[in-house]
Amino acid sequence: MKKHLQGSGLDESSILTDARKIIAPQIEDRSRRSFLMRGLTLGGVAMLSGCNLTDNESVETALSSMSRFNDRVQGWLFNPNTLAPTYPESMITRPFPFNAFYGIDEAPTVEEDSYRLEVTGRVADKRSWRLEELRAMAQTEQITRHICVEGWSAIGRWGGVRFSDFLKRIGADTDAKYVGFKCADDYYTSIDMATALHSQTLLALTYDGAVLPREYGFPMKLRMPTKLGYKNPKHIQAIFVSNTYSGGYWEDQGYNWFGGS
Amino acid sequence: MTKPPASPKVSSHPRWLRLTHWLNALAVLVMVTSGWRIYNASPLYDFSFPVSITLGGWLGGALQWHFAAMWFLAINGLVYLIINIASGRLFRRFFPLSPKGLVHDLWAALRGRLGHADLSHYNQVQRLAYLFVMVDITLLVISGLVMWKSVQFPLLRELMGGYDAARHVHFIAMSLLMAFVAVHLVMVALVPKTLLAMIVGRKEPV
C-alpha cells in the first residue's frame, strides 16, 4: 500500500501511528473525565435550582413515556385472580377520611329522584339506570384498604353491585380496552377492562352498611381495592365502554394512568 | 536468577464496576430527591423535607421521576450483583469478614492507622459498609415494590409486615442509605485518590 514510503528513513505514517497510540488513551481519559465532571456539575446545578428539570419539555416527554411504559408493565403484572386483602370490621378506619380535589362542603348534592346513570359506548343496552334498579341487583360487601397516591391508607367497608355483573347485564363488549366514568363533581377517569372485571371491583352504593353518603360519593362510586384512590370515581353519572383512551382528571396532569396497587 | 514475571496488571476497579457505580449514584440521587417530595405529600413522621432539595416540583412530577429512575436503580443493581457474584469478585473482595477483624480495622481506622495503599484491598470496615449498602438497596427495592404493588406481590407484602409497615421500612432504609452516603463522601474526601480510581480506574497488581 504505502510503497512510496518503503526504504524511506522518515516513515511519516508510522510516526503518526505511534503518536496517536501515545495520545489516544489520554484523550479518551480526559473526555471521559470531563463528561463525568459535566454530569456532576449538571446534578449540582439541578440541586441548587430546586430541581425544576420537570419543566423541560424533552424531560417531560421522556418521563411521560416512562409512565406509559409503567402502564403496560402494570397491565402485565395484574393478575385477575389475585385478591386484595380484606380486613375484620374492627380494623375499619373511623372516621374514614374525606378526600377530593375540593373541600368537603363543595361535594356535589345529587337528587335521588331525578338521578339516572347513563350508559354509552360499546354496550348492547344503552338505557339509563335508576338507583333502585341497581339496588335490586345482587349485592356484595367487602372491607378493604383504600390506598392514596400520597401514601396514606385507610380501611373501609363498601357494598354494592359487582361491577362485572353490571357490565354483563348491560351487554358490554368485555374485549374493549377501557371503561370510562364521568362524575357529578366534573371528575372523570378511565380504567382497563381487566380491572373492571375483577371480582372485587364494586359499583358501591353503600358505605359501612348505610346508603353511600354525599361525602363518600353519593349516589355511587366505583370501588377498586386493586387501584389507588384517584382511580376510584365518586358521584358517577355516566359510564362508557370504549377502545379509545380517555385519560382522567389527575392522569391528564401527570398521575400514572394505570394507578394499580 | 531471573526475576519472576511481573504480576499481571489489572484495574482495581474494572470498567463495569465504575460504570454501575456511577449509574447507581445517579439513580440514587434521583430516587432519594423525588422520594422526599413524595414523602412530603403525606409525611409519615413529624417533619417534611425542604422543597428546595426535592425533585419533581409536585407529587405527580416526583412520582414520574421516582417510577422512571426505579428501573435504572433496579436493573443497574442487578447487573452489578450478577457480575460481582459470577466473576467471584464479591467473595474475593468482601470475604472473609469477622467480628474480630472488624473491630481491629475499625480501631485502626479511628486512630488513622489504616492504610489505603492498595485500593483493590478492602479493609473489614469497608467490606461491611459495602455489603450493608447492597442489602439496604435491595431492601429499598423490595419495600418499594410492596408500596407500588401491594396487591400483586402478596408474599413480599407479608414479608414487609403489610403495606403500612413497608412505608416505614422504605423510609428507614433510605435514612440508612443516606448515612452510608455521608460517611462514604467523607472517606472519599479524606482519601481523594479513591475518587480518581472510581472514575478512571487504576492499574494495581492483583
Side-chain angles (χ1 to χ4, degrees), chain B residues 33-95:
Chain B
T33 51
S34 60
W36 290 344
R37 182 62 193 80
I38 298 167
Y39 169 95
N40 281 357
S42 177
L44 194 53
Y45 306 104
D46 210 10
F47 73 97
S48 293
F49 292 95
V51 174
S52 58
I53 59 164
T54 66
L55 175 66
W58 70 297
L59 174 61
L63 286 164
Q64 285 192 340
W65 278 103
H66 210 68
F67 289 129
M70 70 176 184
W71 293 106
F72 295 94
L73 182 81
I75 293 169
N76 182 64
L78 268 180
V79 168
Y80 166 81
L81 283 179
I82 289 168
I83 304 179
N84 214 6
I85 292 168
S87 67
R89 184 182 179 277
L90 183 77
F91 300 97
R92 215 167 46 236
R93 293 278 164 86
F94 295 92
F95 294 94

Side-chain angles (χ1 to χ4, degrees), chain A residues 28-29 32-33 36 47 50-51 53-54 59 63-64 66 69-70 73-74 77-79 82-85 145 147 149-153 225-226 250 253-255 258 260-261, chain B residues 15 18 22 29 33 38 41-42 51-61 63-65 67-68 70-72 148-154 157 163-164 167 196 199-200:
Chain A
E28 202 193 314
D29 255 15
R32 207 187 301 158
R33 213 170 304 166
L36 275 164
M47 293 296 287
C51 282
L53 281 175
T54 318
V59 172
L63 287 176
S64 52
M66 277 307 287
F69 170 73
N70 284 332
V73 173
Q74 290 179 92
L77 277 175
F78 182 80
N79 181 341
T82 302
L83 297 181
R145 185 186 292 273
I147 298 175
V149 65
E150 294 176 337
W152 58 268
S153 69
T226 55
W250 284 114
Q253 297 175 58
Y255 281 7
F258 195 92
S261 60
Chain B
R15 193 181 290 260
R18 285 177 274 137
W22 289 112
L29 181 71
T33 51
I38 298 167
S42 177
V51 174
S52 58
I53 59 164
T54 66
L55 175 66
W58 70 297
L59 174 61
L63 286 164
Q64 285 192 340
W65 278 103
F67 289 129
M70 70 176 184
W71 293 106
F72 295 94
W148 185 42
K149 307 258 85 186
S150 72
V151 175
Q152 303 305 324
F153 298 122
R157 184 184 68 229
Y163 172 82
D164 274 335
R167 291 182 74 196
L196 200 66
I199 293 172
V200 296

Side-chain angles (χ1 to χ4, degrees), chain B residues 13-193:
Chain B
H13 297 326
R15 193 181 290 260
W16 66 265
L17 176 74
R18 285 177 274 137
L19 191 66
T20 52
H21 170 270
W22 289 112
L23 284 175
N24 186 63
L26 188 64
V28 165
L29 181 71
V30 172
M31 289 305 276
V32 166
T33 51
S34 60
W36 290 344
R37 182 62 193 80
I38 298 167
Y39 169 95
N40 281 357
S42 177
L44 194 53
Y45 306 104
D46 210 10
F47 73 97
S48 293
F49 292 95
V51 174
S52 58
I53 59 164
T54 66
L55 175 66
W58 70 297
L59 174 61
L63 286 164
Q64 285 192 340
W65 278 103
H66 210 68
F67 289 129
M70 70 176 184
W71 293 106
F72 295 94
L73 182 81
I75 293 169
N76 182 64
L78 268 180
V79 168
Y80 166 81
L81 283 179
I82 289 168
I83 304 179
N84 214 6
I85 292 168
S87 67
R89 184 182 179 277
L90 183 77
F91 300 97
R92 215 167 46 236
R93 293 278 164 86
F94 295 92
F95 294 94
L97 186 61
S98 69
K100 203 180 156 193
L102 196 63
V103 170
H104 174 269
D105 282 358
L106 186 62
W107 182 235
L110 290 175
R111 285 178 303 162
R113 296 213 185 131
L114 209 53
H116 289 281
D118 178 6
L119 295 184
S120 68
H121 175 83
Y122 292 148
N123 64 56
Q124 301 256 322
V125 183
Q126 280 179 299
R127 289 177 188 188
L128 182 73
Y130 299 152
L131 285 170
F132 162 77
V133 90
M134 289 177 215
V135 173
D136 191 56
I137 291 180
T138 307
L139 194 60
L140 274 163
V141 171
I142 292 173
S143 55
L145 272 178
V146 171
M147 279 193 283
W148 185 42
K149 307 258 85 186
S150 72
V151 175
Q152 303 305 324
F153 298 122
L155 277 178
L156 294 181
R157 184 184 68 229
E158 295 316 310
L159 184 74
M160 291 290 118
Y163 172 82
D164 274 335
R167 291 182 74 196
H168 292 277
V169 171
H170 203 63
F171 185 90
I172 293 164
M174 178 281 295
S175 309
L176 292 173
L177 181 61
M178 289 303 94
F180 166 84
V181 170
V183 175
H184 189 53
L185 293 180
V186 168
M187 296 314 289
V188 170
L190 291 176
V191 193
K193 69 177 176 180

Side-chain angles (χ1 to χ4, degrees), chain A residues 92-110:
Chain A
I92 294 175
T93 309
R94 298 182 194 278
F96 191 86
F98 167 83
N99 197 248
F101 61 98
Y102 44 76
I104 191 162
D105 297 335
E106 291 151 81
T109 305
V110 177

Side-chain angles (χ1 to χ4, degrees), chain A residues 41-199:
Chain A
T41 311
L42 183 69
V45 169
M47 293 296 287
L48 288 173
S49 64
C51 282
N52 275 327
L53 281 175
T54 318
D55 293 342
N56 182 300
E57 208 174 297
S58 56
V59 172
E60 213 169 287
T61 310
L63 287 176
S64 52
S65 51
M66 277 307 287
S67 195
R68 296 291 77 77
F69 170 73
N70 284 332
D71 285 339
R72 289 198 296 277
V73 173
Q74 290 179 92
W76 174 76
L77 277 175
F78 182 80
N79 181 341
N81 300 316
T82 302
L83 297 181
T86 53
Y87 301 88
E89 206 162 327
S90 60
M91 286 182 73
I92 294 175
T93 309
R94 298 182 194 278
F96 191 86
F98 167 83
N99 197 248
F101 61 98
Y102 44 76
I104 191 162
D105 297 335
E106 291 151 81
T109 305
V110 177
E111 295 298 335
E112 175 162 354
D113 294 340
S114 56
Y115 176 79
R116 297 288 181 279
L117 173 67
E118 223 179 273
V119 177
T120 57
R122 303 178 67 86
V123 294
D125 183 0
K126 292 196 169 92
R127 71 185 175 85
S128 295
W129 287 67
R130 280 178 295 129
L131 272 183
E132 61 220 50
E133 296 173 277
L134 289 165
R135 288 177 187 143
M137 286 182 73
Q139 306 287 302
T140 178
E141 206 173 53
Q142 66 197 14
I143 300 173
T144 50
R145 185 186 292 273
H146 167 109
I147 298 175
C148 180
V149 65
E150 294 176 337
W152 58 268
S153 69
I155 294 170
R157 175 182 167 207
W158 289 271
V161 178
R162 201 162 266 157
F163 195 49
S164 60
D165 288 350
F166 179 76
L167 289 174
K168 267 169 224 149
R169 179 72 81 85
I170 61 173
D173 170 12
T174 52
D175 291 327
K177 285 186 186 162
Y178 311 106
V179 182
F181 303 87
K182 284 177 195 156
C183 310
D185 53 2
D186 289 332
Y187 196 75
Y188 61 102
T189 188
S190 57
I191 61 167
D192 54 299
M193 184 58 79
T195 303
L197 296 173
H198 188 268
S199 66

